[in-house]
Amino acid sequence: EEPAPQTVAPIAQPPPVALGGSGNVSGSVTVPRLPRFDKLFWKPLSPDDKEFLISKLKIGATKSVRVTTSNEPDCIQLASEIRECFKKAFWKVRDDARPTNALPWNDRGITIVARQKDDVLGYAVREAFMQLQQLQFGTSMARPTQPDDAEPEIEVLVRPMRE
């Protein structure tokens, strides 16, 4: 005797997104929007987040920082906002960002790199980032392998937030 077939309720589909054609392709292709991917991108910092971060970063006023990012638009936007927060907290924000191919982009999230002698400052910066809701699970700490006094005290690497 075969079991009775089960009835499954249909899943509500989000509205589709139209993607325009390019090159020799004309027209458009419609694909369903996948809301679960929204959480994979950095969101802009809220005004409250910026104010909080600035207040916490004042611990390192007059120190130097470099904020480096990958080429994804959400990373570029977040890195820009982080730079502004450091500037408003009176840090010397360096413009000599490393080329993206020189960084370990296989990692994800935000990494705070501190010169070895600046570990305490590095951990304080990391804790400030960790207290922000969207950054708390994406922030980690690392030390450079070859500390150099020409390097900034802190480097912030903003990389994609992906699963």
Side-chain angles (χ1 to χ4, degrees):
E1 182 175 317
E2 287 190 29
Q6 295 181 352
T7 304
V8 178
I11 297 173
Q13 291 292 320
V17 177
L19 301 176
S22 61
N24 295 334
V25 180
S26 62
S28 64
V29 177
T30 302
V31 295
R33 178 181 293 277
L34 300 175
R36 65 188 176 109
F37 288 111
D38 290 345
K39 69 179 183 179
L40 301 178
F41 299 98
W42 295 115
K43 293 178 176 59
L45 295 176
S46 71
D48 288 342
D49 287 346
K50 290 177 185 177
E51 189 176 308
F52 173 83
L53 197 54
I54 292 165
S55 71
K56 294 296 184 181
L57 291 176
K58 286 185 178 176
I59 189 173
T62 73
K63 299 288 186 181
S64 63
V65 63
R66 175 191 298 137
V67 181
T68 304
T69 182
S70 66
N71 290 325
E72 282 79 5
D74 60 316
C75 296
I76 293 169
Q77 176 66 33
L78 181 60
S80 174
E81 292 175 350
I82 290 171
R83 278 187 202 96
E84 287 305 310
C85 289
F86 274 106
K87 285 178 183 177
K88 289 180 179 179
F90 307 107
W91 285 65
K92 297 174 193 160
V93 179
R94 296 189 33 178
D95 293 325
D96 61 339
R98 299 179 192 194
T100 56
N101 59 3
L103 298 170
W105 294 112
N106 56 332
D107 290 335
R108 295 178 175 107
I110 296 174
T111 301
I112 309 298
V113 181
R115 291 189 305 193
Q116 196 159 5
K117 67 182 184 180
D118 294 304
D119 271 355
V120 173
L121 179 62
Y123 282 108
V125 170
R126 176 183 177 263
E127 287 305 307
F129 278 79
M130 293 281 291
Q131 291 180 37
L132 296 178
Q133 181 67 34
Q134 80 154 329
L135 306 182
Q136 65 182 330
F137 298 111
T139 304
S140 61
M141 179 81 181
R143 290 189 202 156
T145 54
Q146 298 176 349
D148 181 353
D149 285 338
E151 290 295 305
E153 282 88 359
I154 301 293
E155 182 164 9
V156 180
L157 311 175
V158 181
R159 294 175 290 213
M161 173 54 74
R162 307 285 187 268
E163 287 184 335

